[in-house]
Amino acid sequence: MAEQQQQSPAEVDGSGSVPGGHPVWSSRWTFVLAATGSAVGLGNIWKFPYIAGENGGGAFVLVYLLCILLVGIPVMVAEVMLGRRGRQSPINTMRRLTTEAGLERHWHAIGWLGVIAGLMILSYYAVIAGWALNYIGKMASGAFQGASADQVAIIFADLLSDPKALILWQTVFMILTLLVVIGGVTRGLGVAVRILMPVLFVLLLILLVFGIQRGDFAQAVNFLFSFNYEALTWAGVLEAMGHAFFTLSLGMGAIMAYGAYMPEHARIGRTVLAVGFLDTVVALVAGLAIFPIVFANPSIAPGAGPGLLFVSLPIAFGNMTGGLLFGSLFFVLVTLAAWSSAISLIEPAVAYLIESKKFTRITANLLLGGIAWIVGLGSVLSFNIWAEKQVAGFNFFEFMDFLTSSVMLPLTGLFIALFAGWLMRPETVRSELADESGRVFASWYWILRYVSPIAVGIIFVMGLYKTFS
Ligand code: PFF
């Protein structure tokens, strides 16, 4: 496995390929690493805590966990299965499988919708990852040492009000991402996930201990885990479901693209469970690390929005022994987690341009990265000059986030569930999952056919209706 780690899957030579010449990873663990690298990112550490905060905590968390279990995991199995069956970039995989199932051409749209959503997410993802990059220097230079909650809030507000600084860091992050995708995906990913994820996790645990000792841990647990029915709105339920897709990297081809490199006999079910479990644990621990500090400082509100992580954690690091070192390291790791996710946001589109449009890896990256960068400028400006400009009650950044997470990803996820559950021949589906026991397969197939589409359908319609009414 170590050897194969050195190469991009798209560059692995014939030795590891299946009939038809498509490369394969050497074991399912490489898939677990790559998929975890994609799944664990800003969604877990930055987004989950703040949207849980905005939606009142416990009820939101419960819906999110149910969505992971009943929609996210089953759809992830389906995506990996489709990817492995099609063995191409998501767009061409869907083309091949559509033909195989004897269906109309418009089912190809599943691949397109996902690839476009990926680029749209990348546009604002790079902006937020840029904040994390900027915070590495701030932490290391001691800007937060001994700072009060108000002082930290001012430092953050100053950063947001400076478009030039935001564009600089967005650009640096985008270049880092493109460099990895140009150079070969797995090398960056292998290192990031195998070494850095455990370190990130340990640092989160250190923060958790700090929160338990110095913050209001009891109130944080109460906030995150007590079911407060009143706080639950349909708009919040839609956001929780959208986030289940976002955090598992579903509905946009990333997991399908990685599934395409999965060895023939690797067991998809337990592999996906491992990724889903890791991803969920990181999100919950991040929440448990951040909220004790929030509740111990009355000047930060749990519903503070996108700045929550960037205000609450510097307060903790600024006031703990070793905070300078741990704090800098923490934002290095957040950046790296974001990096391994960003790679998977652009890789499906890059793979398609190379496969079908004869682009080189470099030109495909420059074109797609350039487009995402330009669109990202809208998000940069929505934190300052365009803050008041609203579309349907959202500023530009919020609109992009809503459109991708709450609309495009769930829609693609729904189509994937319908495609794999109802349109593909059951024998084909069973043969791809032949290594699963009869009972596991039957339960998954039933959930995918009935529970997931109905849940997504109801939440989607009710959520959209309530969001705009
Ligand atoms: N799962 C990533 C996160 O939680 O930060 C974000 C993401 C990556 C979403 C890749 C979608 C994707 F395809």
Side-chain angles (χ1 to χ4, degrees):
M1 178 164 110
E3 253 170 47
Q4 294 237 347
Q5 281 288 315
Q6 300 305 312
Q7 298 160 305
S8 159
E11 293 153 11
V12 173
D13 63 25
S15 59
S17 54
V18 292
H22 197 80
V24 244
W25 280 327
S26 52
S27 83
R28 75 187 177 94
W29 283 109
T30 319
F31 174 84
V32 172
L33 292 177
T36 308
S38 169
V40 175
L42 293 174
N44 309 61
I45 306 163
W46 159 74
K47 193 173 179 192
F48 170 72
Y50 94 73
I51 57 176
E54 285 179 337
N55 287 289
F60 177 89
V61 175
L62 183 74
V63 176
Y64 158 78
L65 291 175
L66 284 174
C67 287
I68 293 274
L69 213 63
L70 296 178
V71 181
I73 302 274
V75 169
M76 197 172 191
V77 170
E79 268 201 38
V80 179
M81 187 268 294
L82 294 179
R84 187 166 73 178
R85 179 99 196 151
R87 293 251 189 244
Q88 280 177 325
S89 74
I91 291 175
N92 288 329
T93 283
M94 288 316 301
R95 190 166 282 170
R96 179 184 276 187
L97 297 182
T98 307
T99 313
E100 184 183 77
L103 295 168
E104 300 273 337
R105 274 176 57 98
H106 49 247
W107 281 95
H108 300 174
I110 298 180
W112 281 102
L113 202 61
V115 163
I116 293 168
L119 291 175
M120 288 167 70
I121 294 174
L122 180 63
S123 77
Y124 68 81
Y125 207 80
V127 176
I128 312 293
W131 299 357
L133 265 173
N134 174 278
Y135 262 50
I136 300 172
K138 282 199 166 55
M139 276 284 169
S141 66
F144 298 116
Q145 287 307 97
S148 68
D150 291 339
Q151 284 164 332
V152 173
I154 290 172
I155 296 176
F156 181 63
D158 281 348
L159 172 66
L160 291 199
S161 66
D162 182 355
K164 280 204 197 98
L166 297 184
I167 292 172
L168 170 73
W169 293 106
Q170 169 213 15
T171 310
V172 173
F173 182 81
M174 194 62 101
I175 291 173
L176 289 176
T177 303
L178 298 186
L179 282 178
V180 175
V181 185
I182 289 171
V185 172
T186 36
R187 191 183 317 168
L189 274 179
V191 175
V193 184
R194 236 185 319 191
I195 302 168
L196 302 168
M197 288 300 158
V199 181
L200 180 74
F201 197 68
V202 169
L203 277 181
L204 278 174
L205 288 180
I206 293 176
L207 279 172
L208 184 66
V209 172
F210 179 87
I212 293 172
Q213 286 176 343
R214 306 267 292 276
D216 194 339
F217 191 67
Q219 201 181 339
V221 172
N222 192 31
F223 179 72
L224 283 176
F225 297 111
S226 65
F227 186 78
N228 171 9
Y229 181 73
E230 258 123 65
L232 202 59
T233 61
W234 275 107
V237 173
L238 176 63
E239 209 171 339
M241 181 182 72
H243 188 64
F245 283 103
F246 183 90
T247 192
L248 293 176
S249 302
L250 298 177
M252 54 135 290
I255 294 298
M256 202 186 283
Y258 285 175
Y261 305 124
M262 186 96 153
E264 201 73 8
H265 287 293
R267 291 176 107 175
I268 294 178
R270 59 180 60 184
T271 312
V272 164
L273 279 180
V275 177
F277 177 77
L278 284 173
D279 187 78
T280 307
V281 170
V282 172
L284 292 179
V285 175
L288 285 174
I290 288 172
F291 281 109
I293 302 158
V294 171
F295 286 116
N297 290 283
S299 58
I300 324 173
L308 192 69
L309 168 83
F310 293 89
V311 174
S312 64
L313 288 192
I315 298 173
F317 285 123
N319 293 284
M320 73 197 261
T321 335
L324 195 83
L325 176 68
F326 288 146
S328 318
L329 198 54
F330 180 81
F331 282 100
V332 171
L333 290 161
V334 171
T335 306
L336 291 167
W339 201 5
S340 61
S341 300
I343 291 166
S344 70
L345 286 164
I346 194 172
E347 171 68 18
V350 168
Y352 172 70
L353 287 186
I354 297 173
E355 211 170 69
S356 289
K357 301 286 170 208
K358 305 284 169 266
F359 275 62
T360 64
R361 223 159 221 281
I362 296 186
T363 48
N365 268 283
L366 290 180
L367 175 71
L368 298 167
I371 294 173
W373 182 84
I374 291 171
V375 178
L377 295 179
S379 291
V380 164
L381 297 179
S382 71
F383 291 105
N384 36 69
I385 301 168
W386 287 359
E388 303 307 319
K389 285 205 189 338
Q390 308 248 315
V391 187
F394 298 112
N395 67 30
F396 188 86
F397 156 74
E398 290 164 347
F399 182 72
M400 290 299 276
D401 181 28
F402 176 79
L403 188 62
T404 49
S405 304
S406 295
V407 179
M408 295 172 84
L409 300 188
L411 266 188
T412 317
L414 174 65
F415 292 146
I416 285 172
L418 294 176
F419 188 85
W422 293 94
L423 300 175
M424 273 175 89
R425 291 192 190 93
E427 317 81 74
T428 314
V429 177
R430 183 62 180 128
S431 72
E432 276 304 319
L433 295 167
D435 292 312
E436 308 297 337
S437 76
R439 197 184 297 166
V440 167
F441 176 80
S443 317
W444 167 78
Y445 204 42
W446 191 82
I447 294 176
L448 188 81
R449 286 164 63 97
Y450 297 101
V451 182
S452 312
I454 292 173
V456 175
I458 293 175
I459 296 175
F460 189 66
V461 172
M462 288 306 290
L464 278 191
Y465 174 68
K466 294 287 181 186
T467 303
F468 293 109
S469 63

